[in-house]
Amino acid sequence: MLEVKGLSAAYGQHPSLNEVSLSIAPGEIVVILGANGAGKSTLLRAIAGICEGKVSGEVRLGPDALTGLSPDEIVEKGVVLVPEGRGIFGDLSVKENLLLGAYPARARDSERENLDRVLELFPTLRERQGQVARTMSGGEQQMLAIGRAMMSAPEILMLDEPSLGLAPLLCKELFQNLAQVKSLGIGVLLVEQNAKQSLAIADRGYLLENTRIIHEDTAARLAGDPAVQKAYLGGGGQGSSASATPAPEPSPMPAAPAIAARPQPQRSADQQAGLSISDLVAKAAHQSASAPRQAPADVSTAADRLANDRLTVVMKDIEESARAARHRPTRAANPAPARPQAPRPQQTVRPPVIEVYRRPRVEVYRRRPSGKFERE
Ligand code: ATP
């Protein structure tokens, strides 16, 4: 059983998670629903030990405290995260990616059985074992990411928006796969915006709003809740058991709105403004075409100024030489003392700086048997 108690996280002064408590039992699928920016990814990253912000609170897996452990120690304990964007090694083959997942000591002895289990769960991966991972489709890559996580023999599998960017048919297949993962006794903590399909396979769910859990219920009851339907399933329900939840404690963030009053996700702002994507593209193109070309104008002004200054210097030189030639004494005469050179105008404009983009440097570290990392 994974238990999270009073987990908070902040990036600098910006709180992203406030006193979140939840639990996941073995073989249970728990879904976290919430709007963009509610703190869902931060929650998973804080549990996995990879949150860049300051984290406080308690995370336990059975008798083991996970708080303060490094990410690899947390994987060793049995909690693994499939991050948003999958994080597979694109240049390695499917099989190499899977075998890398078996790196934790807890999984090394059972590598063969785990591989068989994963290939049984995802038959596509069996057929594609030798294929370079980046050449696979988005759905296949997502399966690979989940398969690789399962190679670490986890007790708890966390997934951050696994259905993102997948076609509806692939989404359906993905959620069926997760139901199979559950049947293996693995607890699944799922962050999803696809509320309909995730609630269909989940046992329980939590609603995360403005960094706080505001409601918890069985997946079936959440799916039938008119307020949840309105907020997350595109329905038009009225009232809510969720909205009857006691108001959360005061927070430095704006108070969490009741579900019934929750505004539509921000991504529909263009629709709210009555603009379709193509309207927006056309509008942007028009603005771009009609906007004064400030930057190029600046550049040419600077270049013109530079050219003018150079021309002035050259002209002064020519005039100076002509004047000197006119007054040059004959060879017979005493040579006049050398005329002091007229000071040249100071070159005040520097040549434009041309930025050079460097290739990123790649450093490879190897972990020694002592546990220390050394640069290769
Ligand atoms: P989404 O569904 O859009 O992925 P989310 O619910 O997963 O959103 P988080 O990614 O957890 O939200 O972000 C919660 C808040 O924390 C946001 O306001 C975000 O801008 C902020 N945040 C997240 N990561 C960082 C970071 N590394 N540094 C600073 N702020 C961050």
Side-chain angles (χ1 to χ4, degrees):
M1 165 85 86
L2 180 81
E3 281 184 283
V4 174
K5 281 188 192 157
L7 195 63
S8 298
Y11 299 101
Q13 297 298 308
H14 178 72
S16 294
L17 206 59
N18 262 307
E19 296 288 324
V20 166
S21 297
L22 50 84
S23 63
I24 303 118
E28 186 183 35
I29 298 183
V30 171
V31 64
I32 309 283
L33 299 177
N36 293 119
K40 304 180 298 296
S41 300
T42 301
L43 169 63
L44 296 193
R45 295 175 72 82
I47 296 172
I50 55 168
C51 178
E52 297 93 343
K54 189 173 183 307
V55 177
S56 61
E58 202 185 338
V59 182
R60 300 189 76 83
L61 182 65
D64 296 322
L66 304 187
T67 331
L69 296 187
S70 62
D72 55 313
E73 286 169 333
I74 292 172
V75 174
E76 285 291 0
K77 294 286 182 195
V79 178
V80 67
L81 169 67
V82 179
E84 192 178 328
R86 299 157 197 153
I88 59 167
F89 299 102
D91 289 335
L92 300 186
S93 72
V94 167
K95 188 166 182 186
E96 286 165 336
N97 266 280
L98 291 175
L99 293 181
L100 276 172
Y103 183 79
R106 65 178 280 120
R108 274 183 224 166
D109 291 344
S110 52
E111 182 183 296
R112 192 67 248 174
E113 299 96 89
N114 287 334
L115 185 61
D116 287 344
R117 192 171 68 160
V118 167
L119 296 180
E120 205 170 305
L121 193 61
F122 302 110
T124 314
L125 299 184
R126 188 188 294 281
E127 295 158 20
R128 309 288 182 93
Q129 285 183 67
Q131 187 170 339
V132 173
R134 72 178 142 71
T135 63
M136 308 228 296
S137 74
E140 290 161 353
Q141 289 187 18
Q142 188 63 64
M143 286 174 198
L144 176 57
I146 297 172
R148 190 183 57 187
M150 287 190 58
M151 288 294 291
S152 69
E155 287 181 38
I156 301 289
L157 176 67
M158 300 192 292
L159 300 120
D160 195 351
E161 306 234 12
S163 74
L164 204 68
L166 298 191
L169 215 59
L170 284 174
C171 272
K172 199 172 162 208
E173 195 181 336
L174 172 84
F175 286 110
Q176 282 166 356
N177 288 139
L178 293 182
Q180 280 179 277
V181 171
K182 165 193 158 90
S183 70
L184 299 171
I186 297 172
V188 179
L189 179 56
L190 180 62
V191 155
E192 258 300 333
Q193 296 220 350
N194 188 334
K196 190 174 177 193
Q197 280 180 310
S198 57
L199 284 173
I201 58 152
D203 297 290
R204 285 187 305 118
Y206 293 85
L207 307 185
L208 187 67
E209 282 285 348
N210 284 344
T211 77
R212 292 171 182 273
I213 298 283
I214 59 156
H215 189 57
E216 171 200 351
D217 213 332
T218 63
R221 274 205 291 266
L222 285 175
D225 185 320
V228 174
Q229 285 177 356
K230 188 174 179 196
Y232 301 104
L233 299 166
Q238 307 266 323
S240 159
S241 58
S243 57
T245 310
E249 289 182 8
S251 138
M253 295 285 288
I259 289 289
R262 184 177 172 276
Q264 288 300 305
Q266 298 228 329
R267 61 172 65 155
S268 64
D270 52 346
Q271 293 154 2
Q272 284 168 15
L275 296 171
S276 68
I277 294 290
S278 41
D279 288 339
L280 283 173
V281 171
K283 194 175 163 193
H286 173 73
Q287 281 181 356
S288 156
S290 56
R293 300 267 165 209
Q294 197 59 42
D298 281 352
V299 169
S300 72
T301 310
D304 287 351
R305 238 183 281 132
L306 184 64
N308 276 335
D309 283 2
R310 283 194 178 142
L311 195 61
T312 311
V313 172
V314 172
M315 291 305 288
K316 283 243 155 97
D317 268 355
I318 293 172
E319 282 170 15
E320 192 61 35
S321 307
R323 218 176 293 130
R326 233 178 284 134
H327 296 104
R328 191 173 291 149
T330 57
R331 276 169 195 272
N334 283 338
R339 275 164 43 90
Q341 278 279 325
R344 292 184 175 198
Q346 286 256 314
Q347 188 109 354
T348 48
V349 179
R350 288 163 183 248
V353 176
I354 299 167
E355 290 193 35
V356 176
Y357 293 92
R358 291 196 203 139
R359 296 181 60 160
R361 196 173 64 182
V362 177
E363 292 182 352
V364 179
Y365 288 80
R366 181 185 291 275
R367 186 154 69 172
R368 300 290 171 209
S370 65
K372 281 193 172 171
F373 287 92
E374 279 178 21
R375 203 153 94 201
E376 290 280 85

